[in-house]
Amino acid sequence: MNRREFVKQVGLGLAAGWAVGRLAWPFTARAADPEVRLALLADAHLKDGNDRRPEALALARAVAEIGKLSPPPELVLFAGDLAHRGRPDALDLGREILADLPAPVWAVCGEGDHGPRGNSAWVRRWGSPWFSRPWRGFHLLGLDTCLAPAAGGPVFEIGPVQRRWLARELSTLSPDTPLVILSHAPLARLFQPWQQWTGDAPELAQLLEQFSQVLYLHGHAHSSGAGNFGTNPMDYSPTTYRSLPTENPEPKTQNHLSLPATAWPRPLAVQGTPATPRPGVGPGGCGWVLATLRPTASHFQPYLWQA
């Protein structure tokens, strides 16, 4: 039995005994097709090419669970940190495990996917670190969030080059086009000590303010949750956590969905855990999310297990 078959069989064994946690949030979308099914993954944090490490087995479990869905998803989105420290053998193992998914995989880069030479190893395996592609009535955008030094500690940013590219892409779209934006870091300013902070989020929001429906999907937080906020911090509550408004109200805000990690729940608290929950910290557990986008109301169901 080769390595890929071994990892696949272990993943299927783990999936057979899954414990599923489900939450649903409505998100209206003007899709041309009646239903679009997306599987959403993030934060595998593979340390190296060892397929028997817990992180590799956890990713294989998620892949096996997605493979058992009927009907299968039409597309899989991966929100970065496939690797933990950018090792090429970890990226190779990740591609090998993800190859067993029943649908194409579109992925963005996380800071863990950067090695000593930046994102060159990622680009050789996945191509450009950002993308713009139509998909059955939606338009999917993948953005590359990179860490940059800042007062109070490093923060993520999109950067001027990528923002200019994004402005050109958006100029070709109708304001009624429903957008799905995939990134590793949350494209908002949430909690800087945990690096859940994108410094140029206000500039990004200005580019998107003409669009009536914008759904952001991000990793990095290692927890699943939703919130409706602009560029200002906001605490999650039991009600807002499950609420994803159907359209962007005035003043303009965007709908954000944080994806669970397959590796471990919750982020590393760089400066200690705050006394109260902060944005980006949802329920514990590892797993993935099934997104079903419909013209009238769409749903997001996390499939979670305890790490």
Side-chain angles (χ1 to χ4, degrees):
M1 180 183 296
N2 61 29
R3 182 173 76 170
R4 179 175 173 185
E5 186 62 25
F6 169 78
V7 174
K8 182 176 181 181
Q9 291 302 319
V10 170
L12 288 169
L14 292 170
W18 68 8
V20 179
R22 303 190 181 196
L23 298 173
W25 304 283
F27 173 69
T28 299
R30 300 186 190 92
D33 296 290
E35 183 173 288
V36 175
R37 288 165 60 86
L38 307 176
L40 310 176
L41 287 162
D43 294 280
H45 286 276
L46 303 178
K47 296 177 180 177
D48 51 33
N50 185 347
D51 58 15
R52 305 199 181 202
R53 284 191 183 274
E55 295 84 3
L57 297 177
L59 180 60
R61 172 179 181 169
V63 168
E65 291 178 358
I66 294 169
K68 294 178 69 174
L69 292 174
S70 181
E74 301 152 59
L75 184 66
V76 179
L77 301 180
F78 191 93
D81 274 1
L82 181 60
H84 189 56
R85 285 185 169 81
R87 287 182 51 145
D89 56 349
L91 293 172
D92 288 338
L93 175 60
R95 278 185 61 87
E96 186 177 330
I97 295 173
L98 295 177
D100 286 321
L101 285 163
V105 181
W106 295 357
V108 293
C109 193
E111 81 277 11
D113 300 312
H114 288 246
R117 298 182 179 179
N119 64 3
S120 59
W122 174 273
V123 170
R124 286 197 299 271
R125 290 157 177 80
W126 293 94
S128 172
W130 58 76
F131 62 79
S132 173
R133 299 165 187 164
W135 187 267
R136 295 184 55 191
F138 296 84
H139 198 89
L140 275 63
L141 293 154
L143 300 181
D144 185 22
T145 51
C146 298
L147 279 175
V155 299
F156 287 94
E157 64 176 22
I158 298 299
V161 173
Q162 194 172 183
R163 291 201 308 272
R164 287 194 294 270
W165 166 85
L166 179 61
R168 292 193 297 270
E169 292 296 315
L170 295 177
S171 68
T172 67
L173 302 176
S174 165
D176 291 332
T177 304
L179 303 180
V180 178
I181 301 181
L182 179 69
S183 65
H184 176 62
L187 297 176
R189 293 176 172 180
L190 301 182
F191 188 49
Q192 187 173 351
W194 282 356
Q195 297 175 349
Q196 295 182 23
W197 190 278
T198 296
D200 52 0
E203 291 90 336
L204 182 65
Q206 289 178 358
L207 292 175
L208 293 161
E209 63 182 359
Q210 64 177 307
F211 293 90
S212 61
Q213 297 190 65
V214 181
L215 172 64
Y216 284 40
L217 306 172
H218 70 83
H220 188 62
H222 290 225
S223 59
S224 59
N228 180 260
F229 46 80
T231 57
N232 296 319
M234 181 190 104
D235 286 340
Y236 285 124
S237 70
T239 53
T240 58
Y241 171 75
R242 296 170 184 253
S243 174
L244 197 62
T246 57
E247 286 219 0
N248 295 341
E250 295 290 341
K252 283 291 180 183
T253 58
Q254 293 84 34
N255 302 308
H256 292 244
L257 182 69
S258 173
L259 303 179
T262 60
W264 58 78
R266 300 184 184 274
L268 173 67
V270 178
Q271 297 179 6
T273 303
T276 58
R278 299 292 183 118
V281 180
C286 294
W288 54 280
V289 174
L290 175 65
T292 306
L293 308 183
R294 301 189 182 96
T296 54
S298 297
H299 298 280
F300 301 87
Q301 293 186 342
Y303 288 71
L304 303 177
W305 62 81
Q306 293 303 308

